Amino acid sequence: MSINLLAQVAAPVAPASPATNTGFRLGLKLSPNVAWIRTDEKELESDGTRVGISWGLVCDLPVGGQGKYALHTGLLYNSIGGGFTSDFEAAGVRTTTEYDLKLNYLEIPVSLKLRGAVNDGPGFYGLIGMTGAVNLKARADGEASFTTGGTTTTTMLEDENVTDDIAALKLAFQVGAGLEFDLSGLIFMAGVTYNNGLTNILDGDAKKLIDEDDNKKLLADQLELTLAVFF
């Protein structure tokens, strides 16, 4: 009896298991991005990028029991934008514009995340899915010129509220990859994520930005440096 007790006392204490990635994880995200406007309309053209930021809550919901798969989602405030120009003629009036858009969205990503173990060092992850967003605010800087019979007038926009010209909802395809690593029980995530716009960011009656009757289509893309920490 005493021998067994001494053996138990002398036995080394097993170290605490490092954090695993098999369960639910809640985290914070702060990710800078570069965004731009894309279009295939013949009268419109992309014109420059805009630097923005995405921040908010993210979480991983485990799929299966081994921690290899998770549903990655969250609630994010996303600031994106970009520039575009237009040149068209209608009803005898030639209109040329040059605008820089600043767009703010409340965003919910829903992606399938494939991840490796982080217990023995950095683990690779990849994700693919969709992201849906609600427009909160839209502002524009730039100018529009209108030429009729040789006479040109110019209208300037400076931090103009153009929320009424922007569609309320936006949908994008999302794909990303990077590394996760464990530091003192916190799981850090660092990678790159690309959002490819699928829906028109313009409202059907965008009179401030597109002064013509025909509906025009602009898409918003972004590439972000994804930074997050899970608790």
Side-chain angles (χ1 to χ4, degrees):
M1 185 73 170
S2 60
I3 294 176
N4 290 337
L5 180 60
L6 288 173
Q8 293 177 11
V9 173
V13 178
S17 299
T20 64
N21 61 344
T22 58
F24 170 81
R25 302 188 308 185
L26 180 66
L28 298 175
K29 174 183 174 181
L30 182 64
S31 300
N33 67 59
V34 176
W36 60 94
I37 301 299
R38 174 170 51 90
T39 181
D40 57 3
E41 302 279 355
K42 64 180 182 178
E43 297 93 349
L44 305 180
E45 186 174 338
S46 178
D47 184 33
T49 60
R50 182 171 183 83
V51 176
I53 195 165
S54 172
W55 59 271
L57 293 173
V58 288
C59 66
D60 284 349
L61 304 171
V63 178
Q66 297 181 347
K68 289 185 177 182
Y69 304 97
L71 183 67
H72 179 76
T73 185
L75 185 63
L76 306 170
Y77 181 87
N78 195 11
S79 174
I80 61 173
F84 75 96
T85 62
S86 68
D87 187 350
F88 57 89
E89 186 170 348
V93 179
R94 182 175 182 181
T95 303
T96 59
T97 67
E98 183 177 345
Y99 291 134
D100 180 43
L101 289 178
K102 296 169 283 186
L103 307 172
N104 297 314
Y105 289 93
L106 184 65
E107 188 172 270
I108 299 178
V110 180
S111 296
L112 179 64
K113 187 175 184 181
L114 171 64
R115 63 195 189 197
V118 297
N119 298 340
D120 299 321
F124 175 81
Y125 78 85
L127 61 86
I128 185 170
M130 306 288 288
T131 178
V134 177
N135 181 251
L136 301 177
K137 183 172 64 174
R139 295 194 172 273
D141 295 313
E143 63 179 40
S145 297
F146 308 94
T147 302
T148 305
T151 301
T152 300
T153 58
T154 300
T155 300
M156 303 294 297
L157 295 184
E158 184 174 351
D159 200 31
E160 181 80 7
N161 187 347
V162 292
T163 304
D164 290 342
D165 280 24
I166 301 300
L169 301 177
K170 179 175 74 72
L171 189 66
F173 171 73
Q174 183 177 80
V175 61
L179 295 174
E180 294 182 329
F181 44 95
D182 181 3
L183 290 179
S184 302
L186 298 179
I187 304 296
F188 288 84
M189 172 178 162
V192 176
T193 304
Y194 171 61
N195 283 4
N196 180 254
L198 298 177
T199 56
N200 191 4
I201 64 170
L202 289 177
D203 185 71
D205 189 27
K207 290 301 183 183
K208 283 186 179 179
L209 296 174
I210 307 293
D211 188 22
E212 64 171 322
D213 294 332
D214 295 336
N215 292 337
K216 296 300 180 183
K217 190 173 184 179
L218 294 177
L219 303 171
D221 296 344
Q222 72 179 78
L223 182 68
E224 75 168 28
L225 175 62
T226 306
L227 302 172
V229 56
F230 293 92
F231 303 97

